Amino acid sequence: MKRIILLTTLIILCFSVSNAQDSKGLDKSPMDMTYYPDNFAHDRKPGDQPLVRVTYSRPQKNEREIFGKLVPFGEVWRVGANEAVEIKFYKDLEFGGKKVKAGYYSLFAIPGEKEWTIILNSDLDYWGAYSYNNKMDILRVNVPVTQVDSAVENFTIKFEDKGEKQSIMKLAWDKTVVIVPIKL
């Protein structure tokens, strides 16, 4: 009986190890989520609701030249990696100075050397920008590019509260930062 249990255990262990070898592994551009207010996920109280949530993937620089090379200037970019970025507004607000209704949108950009066009689009749930359709755009805003001294290794989206019902959404990667103002 002990031999049967031991043999069964060994077979199960071998099967488990061989299945582990077939695992996909870690994603090179892990998915992340950011909220405004930025402390929402940690300090949430019952009944609280964020104002904005962004779900996106965070590619790494990996010593590559990013803007103008990996991400070409003048072309629609999915803003990150993998699936199209999804942004949810829980209330009507102003995004880049333009009014937006509460709801879900995809977020794209057209990077340029000195200015980016930030795009909210009503088409959701697809990979990258390959199926991007500008007829589904809700709005476009132009924002200036800022160059910083130290490189940001992983593409990052974060919010900063500016008081008086105002915030900014920062998109940063490599030595490039763009800021979109948000007003409630």
Side-chain angles (χ1 to χ4, degrees), residues 72-147:
F73 290 133
E75 295 181 19
V76 173
W77 176 49
R78 64 181 136 200
V79 186
N82 302 334
E83 293 84 4
V85 172
E86 187 175 277
I87 186 166
K88 180 179 182 181
F89 300 112
Y90 290 81
K91 295 182 178 188
D92 297 354
L93 49 77
E94 285 185 19
F95 183 81
K98 296 183 180 181
K99 293 184 180 198
V100 178
K101 295 277 186 198
Y104 286 96
Y105 303 95
S106 52
L107 177 70
F108 296 95
I110 301 173
E113 288 183 68
K114 299 187 187 296
E115 181 178 81
W116 283 21
T117 300
I118 304 295
I119 304 166
L120 293 182
N121 186 285
S122 62
D123 201 7
L124 299 169
D125 298 321
Y126 54 90
W127 181 266
Y130 305 109
S131 300
Y132 169 76
N133 179 353
N134 66 355
K135 292 178 180 146
M136 304 294 283
D137 288 355
I138 299 302
L139 69 77
R140 288 178 171 223
V141 296
N142 294 324
V143 294
V145 171
T146 303
Q147 295 297 321

Side-chain angles (χ1 to χ4, degrees), residues 10 22 40 50 56 72 81 88 96 99 109 112 121 130 147 150 173 178 181:
L10 285 173
D22 296 335
F40 174 77
Y56 68 108
K88 180 179 182 181
K99 293 184 180 198
N121 186 285
Y130 305 109
Q147 295 297 321
S150 61
W173 198 19
V178 295

Side-chain angles (χ1 to χ4, degrees), residues 2-178:
K2 287 182 182 180
R3 283 186 174 177
I4 293 175
I5 292 173
L6 181 61
L7 184 59
T8 304
T9 303
L10 285 173
I11 291 171
I12 290 172
L13 227 101
C14 288
F15 181 72
S16 297
V17 169
S18 70
N19 277 346
Q21 300 300 320
D22 296 335
S23 295
K24 183 178 174 185
L26 293 176
D27 193 343
K28 291 185 180 184
S29 299
M31 188 171 279
D32 201 355
M33 193 174 291
T34 187
Y35 290 93
Y36 175 67
D38 65 349
N39 63 348
F40 174 77
H42 303 290
D43 299 337
R44 184 175 185 181
K45 295 173 182 59
D48 280 355
Q49 191 175 50
L51 300 171
V52 183
R53 181 185 74 202
V54 180
T55 306
Y56 68 108
S57 290
R58 302 185 67 197
Q60 299 172 2
K61 178 174 168 39
N62 283 337
E63 299 180 20
R64 299 177 290 183
E65 186 178 339
I66 303 300
F67 296 107
K69 181 87 174 188
L70 179 67
V71 178
F73 290 133
E75 295 181 19
V76 173
W77 176 49
R78 64 181 136 200
V79 186
N82 302 334
E83 293 84 4
V85 172
E86 187 175 277
I87 186 166
K88 180 179 182 181
F89 300 112
Y90 290 81
K91 295 182 178 188
D92 297 354
L93 49 77
E94 285 185 19
F95 183 81
K98 296 183 180 181
K99 293 184 180 198
V100 178
K101 295 277 186 198
Y104 286 96
Y105 303 95
S106 52
L107 177 70
F108 296 95
I110 301 173
E113 288 183 68
K114 299 187 187 296
E115 181 178 81
W116 283 21
T117 300
I118 304 295
I119 304 166
L120 293 182
N121 186 285
S122 62
D123 201 7
L124 299 169
D125 298 321
Y126 54 90
W127 181 266
Y130 305 109
S131 300
Y132 169 76
N133 179 353
N134 66 355
K135 292 178 180 146
M136 304 294 283
D137 288 355
I138 299 302
L139 69 77
R140 288 178 171 223
V141 296
N142 294 324
V143 294
V145 171
T146 303
Q147 295 297 321
V148 294
D149 292 331
S150 61
V152 175
E153 177 64 28
N154 292 76
F155 174 71
T156 301
I157 299 175
K158 74 181 241 183
F159 293 95
E160 288 182 18
D161 191 8
K162 294 298 181 183
E164 309 247 350
K165 296 187 177 184
Q166 295 187 46
S167 175
I168 58 170
M169 182 178 74
K170 267 189 185 178
L171 293 86
W173 198 19
D174 195 5
K175 293 186 175 187
T176 299
V177 176
V178 295

